[in-house]
């Protein structure tokens, strides 16, 4: 089970946004020392977009204001300087076990 | 360029089944598991299951066990997701996604399924 916090968040343009994700089980795979945790951005009418994989690696083309941190069971997505196009719902997902569950989502808005 | 192209929107009556297709191009079809994820209006992303196109092996979320079947046709690089015994609660946008070592990195455009009498 993946649990995100908060459920919604309002941040001023140019300010930092932080979203947390907690897994009920460790997603750290011992054989390669990688955390099988991804972050997605979801906008209406579009498929989810992969932002971060292995908990900390930015997908190609994703702006460097997006960063991921954490290990084991606790993870964070940080947007360092919020831009208007970042308004979306953000989801974490573990892809460690064969049950690839998502968090419930965090809705990010402009304050 | 890698693409997953899904079949068009469907309208079904309660109790019916729906079969959504997902055609892959630009990568070796058998190398990547295909996952299915849905999103009902106003709800979050819900993972439904995965299928290995090479072996045909599948794994389904408990919520959909007994109601979902994932198959493939390797010759045309196409995966399928069939959901039976539909209810209005199954009204959603259904997505296929490729699962590699980076996770679900390529997604289909989504298929809207409406269940209504």
């Amino acid at each position: 089970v993946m649990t995100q916090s908060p459920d919604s968040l309002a941040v001023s343009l140019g300010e930092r946004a932080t979203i947390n994700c907690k897994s009920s089980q460790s997603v750290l795979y011992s054989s390669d020392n990688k955390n099988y945790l991804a972050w997605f951005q979801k906008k209406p009418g579009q498929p989810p977009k992969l932002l971060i994989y292995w908990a900390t690696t930015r997908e190609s083309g994703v702006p460097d204001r997006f960063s991921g941190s954490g290990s084991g069971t606790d993870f964070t997505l940080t947007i360092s300087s919020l831009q208007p196009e970042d308004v979306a719902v953000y989801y974490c997902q573990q892809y460690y076990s064969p049950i690839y569950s998502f968090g419930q989502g965090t809705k990010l808005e402009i304050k | 360029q890698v693409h997953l192209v899904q079949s068009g929107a469907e309208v079904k009556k309660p109790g019916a089944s729906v079969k959504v297709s997902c055609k892959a191009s630009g990568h070796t079809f058998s190398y990547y598991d295909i996952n299915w994820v849905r999103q009902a209006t106003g709800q979050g992303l819900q993972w439904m299951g995965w299928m290995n196109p090479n072996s045909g092996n599948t794994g389904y979320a408990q919520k959909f066990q007994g109601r979902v079947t994932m198959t493939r046709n390797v010759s045309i690089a196409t995966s399928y997701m069939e959901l039976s015994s539909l209810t209005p609660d199954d009204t959603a946008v259904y997505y296929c996604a490729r699962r590699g070592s980076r996770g679900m990195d390529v997604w289909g455009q989504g298929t809207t399924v409406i269940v209504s009498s």
Side-chain angles (χ1 to χ4, degrees):
Chain A
V1 177
M2 309 298 290
T3 304
Q4 292 180 225
S5 62
D7 290 335
S8 63
L9 182 61
V11 174
S12 300
L13 288 173
E15 296 299 306
R16 178 186 300 259
T18 301
I19 299 170
N20 300 301
C21 175
K22 187 174 184 66
S23 173
S24 58
Q25 299 178 342
S26 175
V27 299
L28 177 62
Y29 191 37
S30 57
S31 65
D32 61 9
N33 203 36
K34 285 181 165 53
N35 288 281
Y36 282 67
L37 187 285
W39 288 96
F40 293 89
Q41 178 190 66
K42 180 68 171 72
K43 295 181 178 180
Q46 298 180 18
K49 177 185 177 182
L50 178 64
L51 297 175
I52 303 283
Y53 59 95
W54 293 334
T56 60
T57 304
R58 201 178 303 113
E59 174 73 335
S60 175
V62 172
D64 61 7
R65 63 180 180 273
F66 290 90
S67 63
S69 62
S71 184
T73 61
D74 293 279
F75 301 90
T76 300
L77 174 70
T78 301
I79 307 171
S80 60
S81 175
L82 190 70
Q83 301 302 304
E85 61 268 31
D86 300 335
V87 170
V89 180
Y90 292 84
Y91 294 89
C92 62
Q93 185 203 29
Q94 67 82 15
Y95 54 107
Y96 174 83
S97 81
I99 308 298
Y100 301 141
S101 47
F102 289 92
Q104 79 276 17
T106 296
K107 186 175 184 178
L108 178 58
E109 298 174 313
I110 305 292
K111 186 187 290 183
Chain B
Q1 198 166 8
V2 180
H3 289 291
L4 295 175
V5 178
Q6 298 182 222
S7 48
E10 303 263 12
V11 179
K12 296 291 183 181
K13 293 204 182 302
S17 296
V18 68
K19 191 171 186 177
V20 180
S21 68
C22 172
K23 182 173 176 59
S25 63
H27 74 261
T28 302
F29 179 65
S30 59
Y31 282 7
Y32 297 89
D33 289 355
I34 292 293
N35 285 249
W36 290 87
V37 174
R38 77 178 189 181
Q39 185 175 37
T41 303
Q43 303 297 309
L45 299 174
Q46 187 171 40
W47 178 78
M48 299 180 68
W50 61 268
M51 183 200 63
N52 182 295
N54 188 43
S55 64
N57 289 345
T58 56
Y60 303 139
Q62 189 170 11
K63 177 182 173 67
F64 300 101
Q65 289 272 3
R67 257 199 335 132
V68 70
T69 305
M70 296 177 187
T71 57
R72 88 287 193 211
N73 184 330
V74 175
S75 66
I76 56 172
T78 300
S79 303
Y80 303 92
M81 185 284 299
E82 184 170 20
L83 189 63
S84 62
S85 302
L86 293 169
T87 73
D89 288 345
D90 294 314
T91 295
V93 179
Y94 290 76
Y95 296 99
C96 61
R98 181 182 87 163
R99 193 281 202 202
S101 62
R102 305 194 327 270
M104 296 181 192
D105 59 347
V106 179
W107 292 69
Q109 81 276 18
T111 296
T112 298
V113 175
I114 296 172
V115 183
S116 174
S117 54

